[in-house]
Amino acid sequence: MQQFLIIAAAHFLALLSPGPDFFLVARTSLRAGWRLASGACLGIAVANGVFILIAFAGLSALRPGSALFVGLQLIGCLYLLYLGWLFLAHAGKSDLQVMDGVQAPRGAVAGAASWLRAMGMGFLSGILNPKNALFYASLAAMLTGAQTSAGWKLFYGVWMFSVVLLWDLLVAMCIGNAAVLRRFARALPWLERVSGAVLILFALGVIALLVVR
């Protein structure tokens, strides 16, 4: 359970820092409303699901404790250190007015074609982001012991897919509210700093455990 809480926290903290996916959801919600943006949210979640499936399936053949497995863990830690550094280095520099998305007037009724187009854009945004693949491979490589079983991996996969989808839907519903947007903009630099610090500490902790072994 402790390992699950650590990995779940690292995954959620990574979601807090805006990237291309966040900007697409925000842009679509501001221009066309959260219902149309929900298509982009689902597309992004599906893309994350693809990376989760590939990462967990690819690591299932690796033997815990082997040189390749330890190497993947170290690569994952290095990536998390890099990601944490990026969060700290760019804290407060994010611009929410990014990413041209669905060209629909705000308040318009989202038809099936527009919703599917938004979903396709969300999927492309998530699947073309190389950081997503490396991030999930990093988390999957850190699974040890009983939590490397197929059942646990399925649990992790469903959990991460659900968190990505629910978080993006929450962003889509809240981002159109001017008061919420202002508060988020003020809190964003601190969220990025805390996220960066936690990811760095998490990676250093895993490295320390590998060295002690």
Side-chain angles (χ1 to χ4, degrees):
M1 179 58 69
Q2 183 180 7
Q3 188 177 54
F4 165 72
L5 293 176
I6 292 174
I7 291 180
H11 177 247
F12 183 70
L13 286 172
L15 291 179
L16 293 181
S17 182
D21 297 344
F22 175 89
F23 293 132
L24 175 62
V25 171
R27 178 68 169 170
T28 307
S29 182
L30 287 170
R31 298 194 59 159
W34 74 268
R35 288 180 178 83
L36 187 62
S38 68
C41 296
L42 181 58
I44 292 167
V46 170
N48 278 258
V50 171
F51 283 128
I52 292 169
L53 179 63
I54 293 173
F56 285 177
L59 290 169
S60 62
L62 296 179
R63 180 173 56 84
S66 66
L68 182 57
F69 190 83
V70 173
L72 281 174
Q73 286 183 302
L74 289 175
I75 292 173
C77 289
L78 291 176
Y79 172 68
L80 290 180
L81 288 173
Y82 171 70
L83 189 62
W85 175 81
L86 283 180
F87 283 9
L88 295 176
H90 297 283
K93 299 178 182 179
S94 298
D95 182 6
L96 294 182
Q97 297 184 3
V98 183
M99 292 286 293
D100 283 327
V102 179
Q103 303 296 321
R106 187 173 179 177
V109 177
S114 296
W115 192 89
L116 289 174
R117 183 186 175 199
M119 180 179 174
M121 293 181 64
F123 180 80
L124 288 176
S125 176
I127 207 71
L128 295 178
N129 186 351
K131 290 183 180 180
N132 286 341
L134 189 52
F135 182 74
Y136 285 113
S138 302
L139 292 183
M142 293 174 190
L143 296 179
T144 59
Q147 296 197 25
T148 59
S149 67
W152 267 106
K153 288 182 179 181
L154 177 61
F155 176 75
Y156 274 113
V158 172
W159 172 269
M160 292 179 185
F161 175 88
S162 301
V163 169
V164 170
L165 179 58
L166 292 176
W167 172 253
D168 285 339
L169 285 173
L170 179 63
V171 169
M173 288 186 285
C174 292
I175 204 70
N177 186 303
V180 172
L181 187 59
R182 284 195 298 269
R183 290 171 185 169
F184 185 83
R186 288 198 296 268
L188 181 58
W190 289 105
L191 288 174
E192 290 178 320
R193 292 185 183 102
V194 171
S195 299
V198 170
L199 288 175
I200 289 173
L201 290 174
F202 174 60
L204 291 176
V206 173
I207 291 174
L209 288 175
L210 291 175
V211 172
V212 169
R213 288 179 189 173

